[in-house]
Amino acid sequence: MVISQTVGTRSVLVAEDGANDLQNYPVQYVDGKVWVNNHAHVLQAKEEIVDNKFLTNALKHTNIEPYLVGGGRAKLNADVMMKINFKVPTLPEQVQIGKFFDNLNHLITLHQRKLEKLQELKKGYLQKMFC
């Protein structure tokens, strides 16, 4: 049985199980309503302590593998996940770090799109040159 729920704004989603790449464990920041099933943990940081964007980046860059349990299919239990430790700077620093990584991710996305367009252009020119 799969249970789904609607999650409100500014949450951090962490895969409970089913991750294909344990080195790049699925952690996602969401801003807006989304449907989440029982295979994801929904986190909301205490606003006066931790920024959700900072929490997202901290979890993305944490080695989750030692915290996984289970044999064939690795699983991240909620109680084990709550024991993950990482250093947390002051809240204003966290907000700045979160904004920095957001801007960096946006810039990377723009460059990836530009690269894809240039690769298509190259492909077109090569087809014209070598009919």
Side-chain angles (χ1 to χ4, degrees):
M1 180 171 141
V2 175
I3 300 170
S4 296
Q5 66 179 359
T6 303
V7 175
T9 61
R10 297 184 185 109
S11 300
V12 181
L13 306 179
V14 181
E16 180 179 3
D17 56 24
N20 295 327
D21 183 0
L22 299 181
Q23 302 304 317
N24 188 18
Y25 202 79
V27 177
Q28 186 67 43
Y29 173 82
V30 293
D31 188 3
K33 287 188 176 183
V34 293
W35 281 96
V36 179
N37 67 20
N38 62 328
H39 295 282
H41 298 292
V42 180
L43 307 176
Q44 286 213 280
K46 292 184 180 180
E47 290 181 11
E48 63 276 2
I49 300 174
V50 178
D51 178 68
N52 277 331
K53 288 183 181 179
F54 177 83
L55 179 61
T56 300
N57 284 304
L59 287 170
K60 279 186 177 185
H61 294 92
T62 297
N63 182 12
I64 301 288
E65 209 164 348
Y67 300 98
L68 299 174
V69 297
R73 187 173 190 170
K75 183 173 182 165
L76 181 62
N77 291 335
D79 56 331
V80 173
M81 180 183 60
M82 298 307 283
K83 294 176 183 173
I84 297 174
N85 290 316
F86 47 87
K87 294 184 180 184
V88 180
T90 65
L91 189 56
E93 289 174 314
Q94 292 175 42
V95 172
Q96 289 301 314
I97 291 168
K99 286 179 183 177
F100 172 78
F101 282 113
D102 272 353
N103 290 336
L104 190 58
N105 286 336
H106 181 68
L107 185 62
I108 290 169
T109 300
L110 291 175
H111 283 288
Q112 285 175 332
R113 288 181 188 154
K114 185 176 180 180
L115 175 62
E116 289 168 3
K117 287 180 182 178
L118 290 172
Q119 287 173 332
E120 285 297 315
L121 187 61
K122 176 185 171 185
K123 183 178 174 183
Y125 285 145
L126 286 171
Q127 286 177 348
K128 286 182 180 181
M129 287 174 56
F130 303 106
C131 296

